[in-house]
Amino acid sequence: MTGAAVFEENVGVSTPQARETFEKYLRKRGLRVTDQRMAIFEAAVSQKEHFTAETLLDHARAVEKSRYVSRATVYRTLPVMTESALLREVDIGTGEKFYMPNVGANAQVAQVVCLDCDRIFEISAPFMEWYGSTVSSKLGLTPESQRLQVSARCNALRDAGSCPRRGGNGTRKPARAGR
Amino acid sequence: MTGAAVFEENVGVSTPQARETFEKYLRKRGLRVTDQRMAIFEAAVSQKEHFTAETLLDHARAVEKSRYVSRATVYRTLPVMTESALLREVDIGTGEKFYMPNVGANAQVAQVVCLDCDRIFEISAPFMEWYGSTVSSKLGLTPESQRLQVSARCNALRDAGSCPRRGGNGTRKPARAGR
DNA sequence: CTGCCTGCAAACTCTTTGCACGAAT
DNA sequence: ATTCGTGCAAAGAGTTTGCAGGCAG
């Protein structure tokens, strides 16, 4: 049931004409096109894996020719990008929220979180939508969204003592940069 | 597929012989049987709906003939009760964790969260376990747990302007009691 | 020129923790 | 008598927000 295809490498969309799309969206919503917002946008859509607000801040500050970006602005811009469906919010219950560029139609995805390497894998799970409507209607509710997450342990780590996925992402950042 | 039975009223186990069970568990783990732990235990298992640490604190303090219970002790006792499988932790991504007495074999449950009345409904979802193992094995992982949550809106509120479920639980508490 | 945006820092929420006293075994 | 548990208060972590000045339109 339900082809569970694993998206190992989720290629982040670069910034050829994507920039224009975001500019257009901002204007349509009556929001101003600022240097900071564009830098945060560029940093966000170029991510290949899940990222946090803190990581995004670092990358936004690394965007060339951009003005200084503050943490507050990142936090204020993230909702704009998720509302525009550019990003997807992924809450794995660790205190900090993760985000992921929304590539195409992978809206219905489940996450498999490796508790050993902190990695987040995404799996298409189209049946989630069906399930959501089914159970919601029984309660007189209209589904808005659904999330399915599996927490798991690494077999290789248990057997061989080391995790094959070299600390790609997920490796928790040590501290906070600018306070 | 998968009998999706809704547990409308989850009757909280009272405290006839349940107390002894917890006392026994504490001793087995080399933990001391204190007045506070027992009060928190009683407060927890008598809950009929999902509750937070803060709510539990209030109820524990209301337990007759018990010594004063501090917030810290509640936070220190919650893990003990979840490890003993007396409680189940439910994270709906709102910042605060919810807990639920574990009644019988309802380990594999999904949650439907009403975004209007903040209520949490539980639905049995046995297929979750199967799903977890299936996708985990494809990644070389061993599943530990899985969560499935549906966020939804109240039809009655949309149509009639009011939610039929009178603010049972979920109605967010105004402030914090003891500081 | 007007008002939205930004940066700064403080505030906030939930949870965890160090320490000294007090109680269970 | 030990040692673990408790209460207090402070510390944390992540995120939000009030305010004054700055930039987009």
Side-chain angles (χ1 to χ4, degrees), chain B residues 31-32 34 36-37 68-70 73 76:
Chain B
L31 299 172
R32 292 181 180 171
T34 66
Q36 288 89 338
R37 279 178 178 156
Y68 177 81
V69 177
S70 73
T73 300
R76 284 191 270 236

Side-chain angles (χ1 to χ4, degrees), chain B residues 16-173:
Chain B
Q17 76 293 4
R19 265 189 77 100
E20 279 184 38
T21 313
F22 190 53
E23 281 194 23
K24 201 172 293 179
Y25 176 80
L26 288 175
R27 290 193 220 281
K28 190 172 62 185
R29 285 207 31 187
L31 299 172
R32 292 181 180 171
V33 179
T34 66
D35 227 34
Q36 288 89 338
R37 279 178 178 156
M38 294 315 289
I40 294 167
F41 164 78
E42 291 208 15
V45 296
S46 65
Q47 297 302 309
K48 297 183 203 61
E49 306 212 42
H50 295 79
F51 59 92
T52 62
E54 199 60 31
T55 312
L56 181 57
L57 175 62
D58 291 344
H59 286 274
R61 283 180 175 168
V63 171
E64 303 269 314
K65 299 184 188 182
S66 174
R67 215 163 303 201
Y68 177 81
V69 177
S70 73
R71 182 170 291 107
T73 300
V74 168
Y75 277 107
R76 284 191 270 236
T77 305
L78 278 168
V80 176
M81 294 193 291
T82 53
E83 282 157 28
S84 77
L86 268 162
L87 297 186
R88 190 155 31 87
E89 199 181 288
V90 178
D91 179 357
I92 60 169
T94 49
E96 56 190 350
K97 285 176 190 158
F98 285 82
Y99 296 87
M100 183 75 173
N102 235 335
V103 184
N106 50 350
Q108 292 303 320
V109 286
Q111 285 88 33
V112 182
V113 181
C114 178
L115 300 168
D116 294 319
C117 70
D118 277 329
R119 246 190 150 155
I120 305 173
F121 301 93
E122 302 220 315
I123 314 265
S124 72
F127 67 88
M128 269 204 307
E129 191 146 35
W130 163 82
Y131 180 80
S133 343
T134 306
V135 297
S136 293
S137 66
K138 291 191 183 181
L139 293 163
L141 302 169
T142 302
E144 192 115 299
S145 67
Q146 39 264 321
R147 46 204 280 241
L148 173 53
Q149 281 162 14
V150 180
S151 299
R153 297 244 166 237
C154 179
N155 292 342
L157 180 64
R158 165 171 39 77
D159 301 336
S162 79
C163 182
R165 346 249 184 211
R166 67 289 172 203
N169 102 320
T171 311
R172 197 78 73 234
K173 275 200 65 187

Side-chain angles (χ1 to χ4, degrees), chain B residues 13 18 179:
Chain B
V13 184
R179 210 268 116 130

